Structure formats: C-alpha cells, structure tokens
Amino acid sequence: MMQRWSLKSLAELQVAASHESARILIGDVKQRLARQITFCQDSIAPRVKDNSKLSKDLDHLLYIHHDTHRLCSELYHQNKLFARWNASNQHLYSSTLAQVRNRHATTVERWVDMVNIDRGSLHNHVLDILRGRVGIQLLCDHAVQAIDKSKQHGAVTLHCSVRDCIDDAHAEAKFLCEAHWQVSPELTVQGDDDVRITCVRPWLTHALVELIKNAMNASVCELDFTNPLSLSPPPIRLEISDDTNDVRIDIYDQGKGLNVYSDEEIETSLFALGVSSAGKKWDRIDEQQSYAMVRSPLSSLGVGLPLSRMMMKHFGGNVTLQRAQNETLASIVLPKDATILEPEVYK
C-alpha cells in the first residue's frame, strides 16, 4: 500500500535529522517508481506495441524508470549509510534523489509527444503517469530542500505569503509577455495582502505564472497593432479571497480567448495534454518551477494548464477557467486544511 502524504505529514518528515525518516521517504519513492513501471507495462505497452515510434519512446521512458528505481533500491538497502547518518551520507542520499528528480523532469515532452500521436488511446493513461510523477518529484525535492538547502520543512512552506507568490509570478509573467510582445498589461491586486497558507510554494508560483501569462497574452491580443495610439492593453485584475475553508485567487482578463470554446471544450481542450496554439514547441522543459526564454514562451507544449491543475489538485485544490460576463476568469483554489491526503493514482 502506497504511503499517502499530506502537507502536514510531509512537513513533519525530518529527513535531515532522522535516518528513519530518510529511509521511509526513499522507500516510498522506490515503491512509486515500481508502480509506474508496472502501469506502463500493463496499461500503456499493449496500446503502443504496433507502433514502432511509440514503442521506442516507451522503451526510453521505461529505461529511465528502471534505472532510477535501481538507484533508489541500491541506496535503500545500504544499511551502513543510514546507520551513520552523517553529512557525507546525507549528501549521497540527497544527490541520488536530485538525480532521480532531474532525470524525470525531462520526460514530460516525450510523454506529450506520445499523446499527440495516439491521443484517443493514450491521453488518460499518460495523465495518470504524470499525476504519479508529480508525487515522486515532490518527495525527491523534499529531501533535496531539507538536506541541501537546510529547509526545516523541506519542499513544504508553512504560512506562505500568497501576495509574495503573486508578486514573484507577476514579475516572471511580465518579463515573458514583454519579451514576446514588447508590451504587457497592468495587473491590479485586490483583497487581503496578509493571507498565508501552507503549500508547495513552487507549485503555487508555477500555476500563477501560467494563469497570469495566459491572461496577459489574451489582453495583448486585443490590441490593434496597426494603430500606435491603441497600444495600451486592457488591465488584468487579480482578487485574493480568504474564505473559511480555502484561499481563492481569481484572475480576470478582457480577452476573448474562451469565447470560441463551450464549457465542455474548456475542460477537454484547454486542460488536455499537448493542446497548444504554438507553431513550435519549447526546445526543453525544466521542472516547471521556472520558465526558460526559448522559442515561444507564451504558448508551447500544451502542458502548462494540465500540470498546474495536477499540482493544485494534489492536496485538494484546483485550477478552473470560465467566462464571467465580458471577461475570462481563471481561478486557483487552495484548501486551508493541511491534512488532506494526496490522491491515490493507481487504484
């Protein structure tokens, strides 16, 4: 039975201070990788066996899974390493998990390429793989942050300032928009500036960058670039709501991008893997915690929205899109309950 973590239980897992906790974590990563391998072999391999390109891609991805599982398994069984939990052994432990994290960080594009070749057969199964990957990446990063960065609560941020995350995300999105369009709309923030919540801060920042840059892109697309006097895009409004059970971040833009979609198509298209308006993909994709300036930063692989939703849903939150009168509304909802368990991916 797979260990299911909450933000609270993960924050309390002191891998730097306790070799028992460190062993629990890497044992869980090892088990999750094994389940990913089994799922690939049982649910995906039969669907790609008649396509040489897909079979080759799956073989490559399975190699990464097998090899990183081997690394975790070898380390897990080194009793002397955990018995002498000194700085040197902690470094070996964290560097191994960093390697696992980094090698899986590069697999998203290949998974999406496979979906684009056979969407009907593979889309939902690859979604399950990526949901499982989100949890694995989080556990690996938790160990790295706790040991290498000396963060007491690892990858979890207690009492995280929502406004600070918004400011960081706005700066990143503004940079991307201006690099692409040479102009960006103003962002006004309304609501309580002192709202704090326990969360995985890089995930929240990632989701905010994704939604703010999409809103900026939609606003700038309303401009008439043939008229120099009109080059002032409509502003974006962001509202922070501190409700009883959750924190809500609503982002309003005046773009008309959603008008071409029905409510069902918003879910099946905009939150689907690999659906992108970009003519070219990014050359690479990092751990989705930062954005590299490559090719088309405002529209690319078609993974930004689905991965943002996965991250927010991992501990009970969500990302939604809807039409609101003459505006588009993008929302992030984060529950205040830090004891909500992560989902079980393979039931």
Side-chain angles (χ1 to χ4, degrees):
M1 192 71 177
M2 186 187 79
Q3 170 78 45
R4 293 173 65 196
W5 301 97
S6 67
L7 288 168
K8 182 177 184 293
S9 62
L10 194 58
E12 292 172 347
L13 189 72
Q14 302 293 313
V15 296
S18 166
H19 65 85
E20 292 95 346
S21 295
R23 198 164 201 173
I24 288 171
L25 187 143
I26 198 168
D28 194 18
V29 172
K30 176 174 71 74
Q31 183 180 7
R32 289 174 187 233
L33 286 169
R35 295 187 73 177
Q36 294 265 84
I37 291 168
T38 299
F39 183 79
C40 287
Q41 292 172 334
D42 293 349
S43 299
I44 296 182
R47 289 172 166 79
V48 304
K49 61 183 177 64
D50 296 327
N51 185 305
S52 60
K53 170 68 166 63
L54 291 175
S55 295
K56 184 176 180 180
D57 285 342
L58 183 61
D59 286 345
H60 173 81
L61 292 163
L62 274 171
Y63 172 78
I64 294 175
H65 278 79
H66 279 293
D67 200 45
T68 51
H69 178 267
R70 175 189 60 80
L71 290 172
C72 291
S73 184
E74 290 176 354
L75 196 63
Y76 179 80
H77 291 291
Q78 288 189 30
N79 295 327
K80 291 182 179 179
L81 180 143
F82 293 101
R84 297 185 60 191
W85 194 233
N86 54 30
S88 176
N89 287 342
Q90 289 179 26
H91 175 72
L92 174 60
Y93 174 91
S94 66
S95 62
T96 299
L97 286 172
Q99 182 180 352
V100 172
R101 178 196 64 187
N102 295 342
R103 290 180 68 184
H104 284 275
T106 64
T107 62
V108 175
E109 184 169 357
R110 193 178 293 264
W111 282 118
V112 173
D113 281 342
M114 292 176 66
V115 168
N116 285 331
I117 292 173
D118 190 354
R119 178 170 298 276
S121 178
L122 295 179
H123 183 269
N124 290 340
H125 291 86
V126 171
L127 275 179
D128 282 339
I129 285 289
L130 295 181
R131 288 188 189 106
R133 170 191 171 276
V134 163
I136 292 169
Q137 298 294 84
L138 175 60
L139 292 179
C140 292
D141 196 54
H142 185 71
V144 173
Q145 296 295 324
I147 294 174
D148 291 356
K149 306 295 184 181
S150 300
K151 292 186 177 180
Q152 182 181 357
H153 304 292
V156 179
T157 301
L158 305 184
H159 312 298
C160 177
S161 168
V162 172
R163 181 56 193 262
D164 284 351
C165 288
I166 291 169
D167 289 344
D168 289 347
H170 177 220
E172 188 73 22
K174 185 175 188 293
F175 174 74
L176 291 170
C177 188
E178 291 179 353
H180 191 84
W181 291 111
Q182 288 75 55
V183 66
S184 66
E186 291 186 8
L187 174 72
T188 61
V189 180
Q190 303 171 359
D192 190 346
D193 281 351
D194 296 326
V195 174
R196 295 181 179 272
I197 195 166
T198 296
C199 65
V200 181
R201 178 168 178 157
W203 286 5
L204 176 56
T205 302
H206 166 76
L208 283 165
V209 171
E210 188 65 30
L211 296 185
I212 294 172
K213 76 180 180 70
N214 286 352
M216 286 184 167
N217 190 45
S219 294
V220 174
C221 285
E222 295 300 306
L223 294 177
D224 178 6
F225 284 94
T226 64
N227 180 6
L229 298 178
S230 73
L231 295 185
S232 179
I236 296 167
R237 186 173 82 259
L238 187 150
E239 297 179 357
I240 308 169
S241 302
D242 187 6
D243 300 327
T244 302
N245 298 318
D246 52 52
V247 171
R248 183 181 182 95
I249 304 169
D250 292 322
I251 303 167
Y252 297 86
D253 71 73
Q254 298 175 41
K256 298 181 175 61
L258 287 190
N259 290 348
V260 299
Y261 297 99
S262 67
D263 291 341
E264 181 181 355
E265 287 172 336
I266 289 174
E267 291 296 316
T268 59
S269 295
L270 296 182
F271 286 103
L273 288 171
V275 177
S276 174
S277 61
K280 296 181 179 179
K281 297 177 181 177
W282 289 10
D283 288 327
R284 66 181 179 87
I285 184 169
D286 274 334
E287 182 43 25
Q288 294 297 324
Q289 296 179 3
S290 63
Y291 287 78
M293 282 305 302
V294 290
R295 289 192 182 176
S296 183
L298 292 183
S299 53
S300 47
L301 289 178
V303 297
L305 281 175
L307 281 184
S308 295
R309 175 176 272 185
M310 281 181 204
M311 292 171 181
M312 295 301 97
K313 278 193 166 186
H314 199 73
F315 292 111
N318 202 2
V319 172
T320 61
L321 292 174
Q322 58 184 301
R323 286 176 293 273
Q325 295 182 346
N326 295 322
E327 297 178 304
T328 294
L329 168 60
S331 301
I332 296 173
V333 178
L334 294 170
K336 293 181 178 180
D337 184 0
T339 65
I340 294 174
L341 296 177
E342 61 183 332
E344 185 175 355
V345 178
Y346 310 121
K347 298 180 180 179

